[in-house]
Amino acid sequence: MEFLSQIIRFLLDFLGKFMSYSDSEVLSVNFHFLRTCNYKCGFCFHTAKTDTVLTLPKIKEGLKLLVEARLGKINFSGGEPFLKPKLLGDMVQYCKELSPKLSVTIVSNGSKITESWMNKYGKFVDILAISCDSFDYQTNQEIGRADSENRNQADVVRKVAKLCEQHGVVFKLNTVVNSKNYMEDMSETLNELSPIIKRWKVFQCLLIEGENHGQEALREAEQFCITREQFDQFVLRHKDFNPVPENNEDMKDSYYILDEKMRFLNCREGRKDPTESILDIGVEKAIADSGHDREAFKRRGGEYLWSRNDYKIPDIEDMGNLH
């Protein structure tokens, strides 16, 4: 069986060089432009192995290449993106200048998001996702979803959700289901926030060789892993809130992941093998080696409403004109 699996994997990689990117495909890319973070989540799968951050001119060059290659959605992630608030703001603004219809999204832990940043750059953001695995303070401490200021992550979520509502930004919640929270019932706070939360992504804790698993990893996430059955139980418990679940198989190879050097990361072998940078070889050649599975992307619901205009959320200026 192992030999057969290796043959299948080889064929998929070989065919991927010809089929992974079609003339009609609209790209959805996750750009992890930095790896540093102020939280220490024990299962983090994109850890602070380097403090490298490209200059804004280089990033703009890469973003322009992506837009020319039919980029439909760009998601800025980390690390923690708001550790570089000016750079992040410049990037989201530039994206909308390149293509007003381009969906611009951010994934953050929320701790560094300020009202002043939202006042200046919120209009350039379609969706803002906050990572929160529990509404219980102690559980978040055990997970590592906390910084030196020991913030209550539930309060962080409430604060950012309100800012998104005020600025017409779609608010999204991301939750990693793991050994510390899989038995939790988050319904009470979800009920409170349900008018604001437009999408709730629920992930099964995932091991990535060299990131949170193995000799070269900065995390040891094995202790946080759960079974598929435990994950499904969590999803079923919260079915009234329409979670969008992604188990380990759903996640595998279904993301275009761009690292801090603008290299796509191929995860076919359970680790992150970088391609050459799109700045050096262009988007099409880099994508051919990315290992991306378009059908898996579709199966996990990667195609959904990406624009804030699809949700008809009034922004702060519109709200001021309401009587």
Side-chain angles (χ1 to χ4, degrees), residues 252-293:
K252 189 180 184 317
D253 308 323
S254 67
Y255 286 85
Y256 278 125
I257 302 174
L258 203 64
D259 76 358
E260 67 281 354
K261 295 181 180 179
M262 289 195 146
R263 303 175 299 183
F264 284 106
L265 300 178
N266 186 323
C267 302
R268 290 259 183 199
E269 299 297 329
R271 58 181 184 265
K272 292 179 175 178
D273 296 322
T275 66
E276 293 184 64
S277 174
I278 65 171
L279 297 171
D280 297 324
I281 63 172
V283 175
E284 187 170 354
K285 288 183 179 179
I287 277 181
D289 292 326
S290 70
H292 184 261
D293 185 334

Side-chain angles (χ1 to χ4, degrees), residues 8 18 33 40 62 80 85 161 174 182 195 205 211 231 245 268 272 278 285 306 316:
I8 293 173
F18 300 96
F33 70 94
K40 299 189 182 299
E80 172 47 48
N174 284 354
Y182 78 93
C205 180
E211 294 284 356
F231 176 72
R268 290 259 183 199
K272 292 179 175 178
I278 65 171
K285 288 183 179 179
W306 291 346
I316 197 165

